[in-house]
Amino acid sequence: MTVIDLRSDTVTQPTAGMRDAMASAVSGDDVYGEDPSVNLLEAELARRLGFAAALFVPTGTMSNLLALMAHCERGEEYIVGQQAHTYKYEGGGAAVLGSIQPQPLEVQADGSLDLNQVLDAIKPDDFHFARTRLLALENTMQGKVLPLEYLARARAFAREHDLALHLDGARLYNAAVKLGVDAREIARHFDSVSVCLSKGLGAPIGSVLCGSTALIAKARRLRKMVGGGMRQAGSLAAAGLYALDHQVQRLADDHANAQWLGDELRKAGYDVEPVQTNMVYVQIGDQAQALKAFADERAIKLSVAPRLRMVTHLDVSRAQMEQVLKAFVDFSRK
Ligand SMILES: Cc1ncc(COP(=O)(O)O)c(C=O)c1O
């Protein structure tokens, strides 16, 4: 039985075209700056998103960490969502490795941070306080797309209050495809953007941090420090380039599959949050463990949580969505 894995969009296998691109990639030592494929990926993504420079790193976690550490010095502070990946799911790296203090704020229902709350959280210039340096947003945020009008306001706000603005754009392209805009329309509001190639875009590994020449030079030094210099990384960069050229527009299929599953589950009586991109959130409550076991027997892999997240990606089809729906319906009739 083919396994249907809905735990994350990180679980995909490289497509045949991607494998070919990886196999034929030219490579060199990237720590010496001599890997043509890595250099091309960095130049290409910087160009596409409207930045002066970019840096290829193994993971989104490292990319965000380098951004936070490049923007903030020891004893400085970044304002971030309580539920944001950079705050909650990255092992406290900014605090542990960068001595950067997080100031978390509750994320609003639409995935944004309330700029009035951000304003209240900015510390006065007084030696009692850490210096507030950076505002970090996430887009998509748990599958939600931040409105362009909000991004423009956040840009103006950050400028007014002398804050840098970072985007964890692990799923930047999901947001762009959903809005029907070029990703640059989102990226242009930020001082730095981290993009994951290993999520919906389907590459096996890799993220790219984009920013100014000075910021990326600092991040490159920090990358070496945290052990992220990757030598002959060309085949990985080639996978990323292939994804950017061939696997962006198809994200709309993942969104359609998620939308379909969300709608059908709602019709079947489940409490489903509105679906915007490739994530379906269902309130399962204390049934989480039982549902997971039931799904396991049907070769459907789910995370276990009362608020269950299912993520669509290039390795799940509409026919498989129908199998998932059937499993949920059977479970509710048990
Ligand atoms: C929004 C977001 N940011 C960053 C990351 C970190 O990426 P990685 O797993 O490559 O470290 C993830 C991973 O799932 C994520 O969902």
Side-chain angles (χ1 to χ4, degrees):
M1 213 185 321
T2 313
V3 172
I4 305 171
D5 193 340
L6 295 177
R7 291 170 302 164
S8 177
D9 48 9
T10 57
V11 300
T12 56
Q13 294 292 321
T15 54
M18 183 177 279
R19 284 176 197 272
D20 288 346
M22 294 176 76
S24 60
V26 279
S27 224
D29 189 324
D30 179 45
V31 175
Y32 287 112
E34 292 172 1
D35 189 302
S37 304
V38 171
N39 292 343
L40 181 62
L41 172 66
E42 292 177 346
E44 190 54 28
L45 203 51
R47 187 188 65 75
R48 289 189 195 191
L49 298 185
F51 288 94
L55 183 70
F56 185 46
V57 294
T59 66
T61 300
M62 187 181 289
S63 188
N64 283 324
L65 174 68
L66 301 186
L68 299 178
M69 288 176 70
H71 283 295
C72 305
E73 298 298 328
R74 195 163 176 254
E76 295 185 336
E77 175 182 83
Y78 73 112
I79 298 177
V80 61
Q82 189 81 251
Q83 297 82 7
H85 207 277
T86 47
Y87 172 63
K88 192 171 176 184
Y89 299 99
E90 295 181 2
V96 176
L97 300 166
S99 300
I100 302 163
Q101 167 169 291
Q103 168 61 71
L105 298 177
E106 203 59 32
V107 173
Q108 302 300 294
D110 67 355
S112 70
L113 291 180
D114 180 334
L115 296 177
N116 290 321
Q117 288 181 20
V118 176
L119 182 61
D120 289 344
I122 297 174
K123 311 292 181 289
D125 184 6
D126 173 318
F127 63 69
H128 290 89
F129 303 120
R131 242 194 219 108
T132 312
R133 274 284 183 236
L134 174 73
L135 173 60
L137 300 177
E138 187 173 315
N139 194 14
T140 61
M141 175 70 201
Q142 299 192 346
K144 291 171 188 164
V145 181
L146 301 185
L148 290 177
E149 163 278 319
Y150 171 77
L151 299 185
R153 276 197 294 123
R155 171 72 278 170
F157 174 92
R159 210 167 266 141
E160 184 184 343
H161 299 285
D162 207 16
L163 301 179
L165 193 57
H166 171 69
L167 178 67
D168 177 357
R171 297 182 179 82
L172 170 72
Y173 282 96
N174 292 87
V177 166
K178 176 67 185 181
L179 291 173
V181 299
D182 193 295
R184 183 192 274 249
E185 287 306 306
I186 298 171
R188 73 186 177 90
H189 297 290
F190 294 87
D191 297 302
S192 55
V193 174
S194 169
V195 180
C196 288
L197 305 164
S198 57
K199 310 277 181 319
L201 295 182
I205 177 172
S207 293
V208 179
L209 178 65
C210 299
S212 67
T213 308
L215 188 95
I216 296 302
K218 199 168 172 190
R220 192 176 291 277
R221 169 176 278 274
L222 291 163
R223 183 185 70 172
K224 190 77 189 91
M225 195 179 86
V226 298
M230 286 192 291
R231 308 295 178 186
Q232 282 73 30
S235 57
L236 302 175
L241 278 163
Y242 183 88
L244 290 170
D245 285 341
H246 301 281
Q247 297 183 171
V248 170
Q249 288 313 319
R250 62 147 311 284
L251 291 170
D253 300 343
D254 301 342
H255 299 173
N257 280 339
Q259 185 80 55
W260 182 87
L261 183 62
D263 289 347
E264 294 302 318
L265 286 174
R266 209 172 288 115
K267 283 184 215 160
Y270 283 94
D271 181 358
V272 186
E273 296 176 21
V275 174
Q276 290 189 23
T277 56
N278 67 335
M279 296 191 184
V280 184
Y281 283 91
V282 189
Q283 299 295 340
I284 298 296
D286 58 9
Q287 292 294 296
Q289 201 58 258
L291 175 62
K292 184 189 160 29
F294 189 83
D296 270 347
E297 287 166 13
R298 287 152 185 80
I300 299 167
K301 279 195 183 176
L302 300 177
S303 314
V304 195
R307 180 177 176 245
L308 172 69
R309 181 187 83 163
M310 289 180 283
V311 189
T312 56
H313 50 74
L314 58 76
D315 284 345
V316 291
S317 63
R318 178 59 64 88
Q320 289 175 321
M321 293 292 96
E322 287 170 16
Q323 279 174 250
V324 174
L325 174 65
K326 182 171 182 325
F328 272 75
V329 170
D330 291 349
F331 179 75
S332 67
R333 289 186 181 145
K334 235 175 11 111

